[in-house]
């Protein structure tokens, strides 16, 4: 009986492809894990020394017995973390007279942005429609372009509603690509390109029903920030905003 | 090249194919996931290589790491590095007898990850109940019960016309 089961399992291996393991990547990954483990061990030992020294000093200096307020900890413990406010500006949508197709509006996204529901990272200091864009905070056709401001420069976020099941993203040498499949059937693919010292992030979000959204974050303008501003999970959050659903070409 | 690299490299070359087959069955029939699983298992082995090599239990450790990683990954969203390609792949022609293989893969994929791991370790890796229990960190009673349920579910799923193209995982009974 075990042999019978083994033969059955062996049938699943029919058509086995040639081995395609990246030997160098395994060594690199192993060495990186080893370095991390060693640095954690060293850090832990250093922390133990610091704790011991501080503890001894505290005992010697008579800190024990003083209240948190005396130590100046009260205010910082209760105050929420400070974060510069994100300014969100919108421009009025103008009715299009040149397009046959009516403009696609994304009112829910505007609501999300205005009410601060989208968790922009702390580095984002402003979100506005791209200057010169006729519709500012609304889709122009199937495309929305937002300029994200930060202390280190500006980035352009482009969001496009794509025809279902059309997006293809292939990875070339030097590009950093990931594919993420959620249990719900949502598929998110990201590709990060570092051409010309500038980072560009491409994200494809495919809903379980086949609807697809593409997002691109790139350097923009005279004060361009070369490096990525948004965390990868935020592309998924924006791409799955309910306001994008139900768009029909 | 250091001794660690040379010895580990020999182990990698000699075991990678076998490990990938086990990983393939553990992952429910996905060669890409199997390679990711083998890659991360081998990287973990590299870290502990001197100790494992001295103790002479590299294979047992590898199995334990691989099974636990497979079960952990099945519980969360699947994320992996995309393969780098220069040209678009051509469409291949499936080999003869592929239907049988596909049926077994689908049946395996529909087993709950824990049950699948028990079936693979007991009947593919030929581990005893005690060894399987040790690898999975479960009691021998649980292993016996899971093996029995897993086999029964496999038989049921493989019965003619019972493996659907797309289906929810087989419930744990």
């Amino acid at each position: 009986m075990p042999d019978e089961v083994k033969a059955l399992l062996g049938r699943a291996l029919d058509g086995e492809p040639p081995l395609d393991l990246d030997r160098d990547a395994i060594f690199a990954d192993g060495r990186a894990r080893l370095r991390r483990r060693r640095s954690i061990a060293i850090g832990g030992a250093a922390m133990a020394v610091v704790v011991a020294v501080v503890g001894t000093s505290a005992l010697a200096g008579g800190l024990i017995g003083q209240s948190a307020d005396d130590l100046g900890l009260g205010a910082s413990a209760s105050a929420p973390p400070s974060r510069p406010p994100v300014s969100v500006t919108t421009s009025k949508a103008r009715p299009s007279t040149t397009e046959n197709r009516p403009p696609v509006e994304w009112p829910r996204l505007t609501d999300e942005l205005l009410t601060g529901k989208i968790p922009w990272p702390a580095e984002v200091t402003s979100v506005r429609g791209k200057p010169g864009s006729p519709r500012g905070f609304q889709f122009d056709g199937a495309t929305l372009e937002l300029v994200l401001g930060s202390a280190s420069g500006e980035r352009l976020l482009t969001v496009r509603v794509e025809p279902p099941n059309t997006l293809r993203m292939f990875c070339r040498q030097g590009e950093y690509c990931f594919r993420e499949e959620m249990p719900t059937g949502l598929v998110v693919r990201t590709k990060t390109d570092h051409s010309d010292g500038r980072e560009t992030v491409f994200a494809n979000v495919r809903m379980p029903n086949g609807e697809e959204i593409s997002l691109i974050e790139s350097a923009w303008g005279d004060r361009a920030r070369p490096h990525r501003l948004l965390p990868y999970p935020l592309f998924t959050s924006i791409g799955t905003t309910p306001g994008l659903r139900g768009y029909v070409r | 090249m250091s001794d660690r690299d040379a010895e580990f490299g020999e182990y990698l070359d000699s075991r990678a194919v076998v490990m990938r087959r086990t990983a393939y069955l553990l992952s429910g029939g996905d060669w890409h996931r199997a390679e990711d699983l083998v890659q991360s298992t081998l990287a973990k082995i590299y870290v502990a290589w001197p100790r494992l090599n001295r103790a002479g239990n590299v294979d047992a450790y590898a199995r334990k790491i691989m099974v636990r990683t497979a079960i952990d990954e099945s519980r969360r969203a699947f994320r992996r590095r995309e393969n780098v390609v220069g040209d678009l792949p051509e469409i291949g022609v499936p080999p003869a007898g592929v239907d049988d293989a596909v049926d077994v893969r689908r049946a395996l994929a529909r087993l709950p990850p824990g049950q699948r791991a028990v079936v693979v370790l007991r009947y593919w890796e030929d581990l005893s109940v005690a060894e399987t229990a040790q690898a999975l960190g479960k009691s021998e009673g649980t292993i016996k019960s899971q093996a029995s349920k897993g086999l029964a579910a496999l038989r049921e799923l493989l019965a003619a016309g019972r493996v659907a193209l797309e289906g929810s995982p087989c419930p744990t009974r």
Side-chain angles (χ1 to χ4, degrees):
Chain A
M1 151 98 149
D3 288 344
E4 185 192 322
V5 179
K6 189 163 188 167
L8 175 75
L9 293 174
R11 267 163 48 194
L13 299 167
D14 285 354
E16 180 178 1
L19 190 65
D20 189 27
L21 276 184
D22 187 342
R23 209 169 181 278
D24 292 339
I26 292 171
F27 275 94
D29 189 7
R31 288 187 194 114
R33 285 169 190 264
L34 200 57
R35 277 196 301 275
R36 274 200 299 276
R37 177 177 280 200
R38 285 173 180 161
S39 63
I40 288 169
I42 292 167
M47 184 59 75
V49 171
V50 169
V51 168
V53 169
V54 170
T56 308
S57 306
L59 281 171
L63 284 178
I64 292 175
Q66 290 182 329
S67 70
D69 287 343
D70 292 340
L71 296 174
L73 299 176
S76 61
S78 57
S82 63
R83 180 183 160 179
V86 174
S87 71
V88 177
T89 59
T90 60
S91 56
K92 295 278 184 187
R94 291 182 305 190
S96 170
T97 54
T98 55
E99 287 182 272
N100 295 328
R101 195 170 55 205
V104 181
E105 295 188 358
W106 196 9
R108 285 209 212 170
L109 173 67
T110 309
D111 291 345
E112 298 275 336
L113 294 171
L114 290 174
T115 53
K117 285 180 186 169
I118 288 188
W120 298 109
E123 274 186 282
V124 177
T125 53
S126 67
V127 180
R128 57 192 165 87
K130 183 182 172 187
S133 168
R135 307 194 190 287
F137 240 122
Q138 291 181 320
F139 273 100
D140 181 17
T143 306
L144 172 73
E145 291 178 306
L146 297 174
V147 176
L148 309 176
S150 78
S152 52
E154 292 184 321
R155 303 279 290 175
L156 182 67
L157 176 66
T158 306
V159 182
R160 279 185 60 83
V161 182
E162 308 281 356
N165 300 309
T166 55
L167 288 179
R168 296 289 179 272
M169 191 188 280
F170 290 95
C171 226
R172 294 192 305 254
Q173 285 291 352
E175 293 175 336
Y176 203 60
C177 306
F178 280 98
R179 177 188 173 94
E180 193 168 8
E181 292 174 19
M182 313 294 180
T184 55
L186 182 78
V187 179
V188 180
R189 306 174 83 191
T190 52
K191 175 166 87 170
T192 309
D193 179 66
H194 296 92
S195 304
D196 304 324
R198 291 184 164 199
E199 203 171 23
T200 304
V201 181
F202 302 84
N204 292 349
V205 177
R206 179 179 294 170
M207 313 290 177
N209 66 359
E211 290 177 351
E212 292 177 322
I213 309 296
S214 69
L215 303 103
I216 303 172
E217 193 212 305
S218 53
W220 189 82
D222 296 334
R223 282 192 62 248
R225 172 189 159 110
H227 303 297
R228 180 168 59 90
L229 186 54
L230 303 182
Y232 287 109
L234 195 57
F235 289 96
T236 308
S237 301
I238 297 173
T240 52
T241 300
L244 283 173
R245 299 293 189 92
Y247 171 74
V248 180
R249 277 177 180 273
Chain B
M1 184 181 276
S2 67
D3 286 349
R4 177 198 288 255
D5 285 11
E7 290 168 358
F8 174 76
E10 277 179 29
Y11 178 81
L12 187 160
D13 292 337
S14 66
R15 301 293 296 160
V17 172
V18 176
M19 285 175 78
R20 189 181 66 155
R21 286 179 187 152
T22 302
Y24 175 78
L25 296 173
L26 286 171
S27 64
D30 183 327
W31 289 113
H32 292 294
R33 284 193 201 204
E35 285 186 353
D36 283 352
L37 196 51
V38 170
Q39 193 151 322
S40 77
T41 301
L42 284 168
K44 288 172 186 172
I45 292 174
Y46 180 88
V47 174
W49 179 258
R51 175 172 57 81
L52 295 172
N53 200 26
R54 269 198 309 275
N57 58 356
V58 184
D59 285 342
Y61 181 81
R63 260 194 304 267
K64 190 184 280 188
I65 293 289
M66 190 189 288
V67 168
R68 292 184 180 182
T69 307
I71 291 174
D72 285 349
E73 285 191 354
S74 68
R75 288 179 183 146
R76 55 174 179 257
F78 170 52
R79 187 170 198 265
R80 70 174 164 83
R81 184 85 193 265
E82 296 248 46
N83 288 328
V84 174
V85 295
D87 300 302
L88 300 187
E90 290 183 13
I91 297 170
V93 179
V98 74
D99 288 349
D100 279 354
V102 170
D103 276 349
V104 180
R105 275 174 219 158
R106 284 183 189 145
L108 263 179
R110 291 188 63 186
L111 292 186
Q115 242 175 48
R116 189 162 62 229
V118 171
V119 170
V120 172
L121 290 185
R122 282 283 288 125
Y123 300 106
W124 179 254
E125 288 279 313
D126 297 321
L127 296 193
S128 67
V129 171
E131 287 166 332
T132 308
Q134 198 182 0
L136 289 169
K138 291 179 178 172
S139 72
E140 293 188 19
T142 305
I143 298 302
K144 285 180 190 167
S145 141
Q146 292 276 292
S148 161
K149 285 175 182 172
L151 283 186
L154 265 185
R155 278 198 202 97
E156 194 178 319
L157 289 164
L158 285 168
R162 297 292 296 275
V163 180
L165 283 175
E166 298 284 341
S168 56
C170 186
T172 307
R173 293 179 300 169

